[in-house]
Amino acid sequence: MTSHVSPWLTLVGIGEDGVPAPGGRDALARAEIVYGGARHLELAGETDAEKRTWPSPFSSVFDDLKSLAGRRVAILATGDPMWFGIGSSLLKHFSTGDMTVLPSLSAFQLAASRMGWPLQETECLSVHGRSVDLLRASLYPGARILALTSNAGTPRGIADLLADEGFGRTRMTVLEHLGGARERRIEGTAEGWSAEVADFHTLALDVIADPGTRFRARTPGLPDKAFRHDGKMTKQDIRAVTLAELQPYPGALLWDVGAGCGSVAIEWLRAANRTRAVGLEPHAERRQMAAENAVALGVPHLDLKDAIAPSGLDGLPQPDAIFIGGGLTTDGLVEACLAALRPGGRLVANAVTLESEAVLLSAYQSLGGSLKKISVHRASAVGGLTGWRPLMPVTQWSLTKP
């Protein structure tokens, strides 16, 4: 028989109007200590509890809170703390048995209601403390995007990004201080944006493509020219087949061994939400190209390592999929990758040389999986006529780890 211990930590969402989530007033009245930003503590008004603003560096707050375990502690946060809020960070340090979460209306809910946009048909994302380049992966004609921002300068940066990407006619709406007495709405287009706005706001984007703009679909198989490269890369058609074999899904982690210009890892990150990728690439020039490509294609969080496999695999988080695009003839590489892969994970390797192909044949014979040769021919001019020009054939081995 287990005893029930009441949570000692309460996370309270609060609106711009100072009204806490249902149950929040009681939690604040019971609390001995209340944490929050200066704005949150001011909104909450008078309380008998000790008020503490966030420490610097912020990461030290988790140790501070652990030292208070068992006391009645409340934390104030904007709106719904579990939607791009502090809730997910707290749950990395405390269990659900330690904490009660009381959500208020989120900025996304309030913004959607003001814009008249159904939330289920709207992209909701955050560039608060993150690169605005993340937006590049979410742009397509007709997209409706609600974004949490960092400060008053973010809309200007986003306007410039939209114009650069060929979406300068996009309608931008800044919704300041949603739900409070100072709520204000500011509208304009990306190409003509010049408004001064408050730091605290939510940004709504009604995405409109300029005439002739060709957007980059998130379906794997971007044109080779979408990447900066030195010629040594997984080409478009092979890349599309490779991603199909890797089977990306939300939240999954990829190791890209021999990342080159990053094309496979970048397509993995674009293919599903919350995906992660670690690229191992020992050549500095290619790592630089991969980093620039990741930013340009909306996945600046690609994690690039100056390392070679198998030695560079030590200490990395366990992957859900591994792609080997280079170094196949290195002793023990396939075995090390397979050992590191989680059960049920996917291992895909491509070879263009006979020596690398021999490694894949041996792996197929001993481990099973699927082995195939992919040949692509592209039409081009032959004098005044048209003929087929072959690309180098690629041998591909794929395996699901038992």
Side-chain angles (χ1 to χ4, degrees):
M1 183 176 178
T2 58
S3 60
H4 176 73
V5 179
S6 297
W8 56 274
L9 182 62
T10 305
L11 183 51
V12 181
I14 189 169
E16 184 70 3
D17 56 2
V19 177
R25 290 202 187 281
D26 289 342
L28 292 172
R30 293 193 304 268
E32 301 172 58
I33 299 167
V34 178
Y35 271 92
R39 187 176 65 85
H40 297 130
L41 295 173
E42 182 180 350
L43 286 171
E46 293 300 319
T47 174
D48 293 332
E50 176 190 346
K51 291 183 175 181
R52 297 187 184 181
T53 56
W54 298 123
S56 181
F58 178 80
S59 57
S60 64
V61 75
F62 302 113
D63 287 334
D64 293 348
L65 289 169
K66 287 174 183 176
S67 70
L68 298 173
R71 299 182 68 181
R72 295 188 301 278
V73 180
I75 294 176
L76 289 168
T78 301
D80 183 349
M82 296 303 294
W83 204 347
F84 291 115
I86 192 176
S88 60
S89 297
L90 286 169
L91 285 171
K92 294 176 182 176
H93 299 269
F94 304 99
S95 72
T96 53
D98 294 318
M99 184 168 67
T100 298
V101 180
L102 303 176
S104 188
L105 285 173
S106 73
F108 295 125
Q109 290 171 301
L110 289 169
S113 69
R114 301 299 191 268
M115 298 299 296
W117 293 353
L119 264 178
Q120 72 272 15
E121 299 171 8
T122 304
E123 302 272 352
C124 297
L125 52 86
S126 175
V127 292
H128 178 74
R130 300 175 172 91
S131 171
V132 296
D133 291 304
L134 287 165
L135 271 170
R136 297 182 193 272
S138 298
L139 297 177
Y140 58 88
R144 286 176 167 177
I145 299 171
L146 295 176
L148 305 181
T149 63
S150 293
N151 52 45
T154 306
R156 175 73 266 172
I158 289 176
D160 290 342
L161 182 153
L162 289 165
D164 289 344
E165 289 287 333
F167 294 93
R169 297 196 300 167
T170 292
R171 290 190 289 269
M172 296 176 55
T173 304
V174 168
L175 299 161
E176 296 180 345
H177 298 288
L178 279 166
R182 293 181 292 165
E183 181 171 327
R184 186 170 71 131
R185 178 180 183 132
I186 305 167
E187 298 177 305
T189 63
E191 60 192 1
W193 189 262
S194 61
E196 298 294 326
V197 304
D199 281 325
F200 187 63
H201 67 268
T202 302
L203 180 61
L205 303 174
D206 191 357
V207 180
I208 301 172
D210 300 337
T213 294
R214 299 184 65 181
F215 76 99
R216 301 184 183 103
R218 296 182 73 167
T219 304
L222 286 171
D224 295 342
K225 65 182 180 182
F227 301 89
R228 182 176 163 231
H229 61 90
D230 58 5
K232 294 185 177 180
M233 69 179 298
T234 304
K235 301 298 193 297
Q236 178 182 19
D237 307 272
I238 305 301
R239 195 181 334 116
V241 174
T242 299
L243 267 294
E245 290 289 341
L246 286 168
Q247 300 174 13
Y249 59 89
L253 170 64
L254 172 74
W255 287 358
D256 186 353
V257 178
C261 72
S263 61
V264 170
I266 288 169
E267 294 254 38
W268 168 276
L269 291 170
R270 288 172 57 89
N273 293 330
R274 304 189 311 282
T275 44
R276 297 171 294 147
V278 177
L280 277 67
E281 177 50 59
H283 297 95
E285 303 85 0
R286 290 178 184 160
R287 283 199 311 279
Q288 181 62 33
M289 287 189 288
E292 292 175 3
N293 289 332
V295 168
L297 293 166
V299 288
H301 50 296
L302 170 60
D303 186 4
L304 293 163
K305 306 288 188 185
D306 178 8
I308 59 173
S311 60
L313 305 179
D314 294 340
L316 296 180
Q318 187 175 35
D320 302 290
I322 299 175
F323 172 61
I324 305 175
L328 270 170
T329 55
T330 304
D331 288 342
L333 176 59
V334 172
E335 293 79 5
C337 287
L338 190 59
L341 189 64
R342 70 159 183 82
R346 295 285 291 168
L347 177 59
V348 179
N350 289 354
V352 294
T353 67
L354 293 174
E355 291 78 8
S356 295
E357 187 178 82
V359 173
L360 297 189
L361 175 60
S362 175
Y364 172 68
Q365 290 173 332
S366 60
L367 299 169
S370 171
L371 187 69
K372 58 190 171 190
K373 178 161 285 189
I374 308 167
S375 181
V376 177
H377 292 65
R378 291 182 179 169
S380 64
V382 180
L385 302 174
T386 305
W388 294 110
R389 294 192 186 278
L391 303 181
M392 288 187 70
V394 174
T395 301
Q396 184 177 87
W397 175 62
S398 58
L399 174 77
T400 298
K401 183 175 178 178

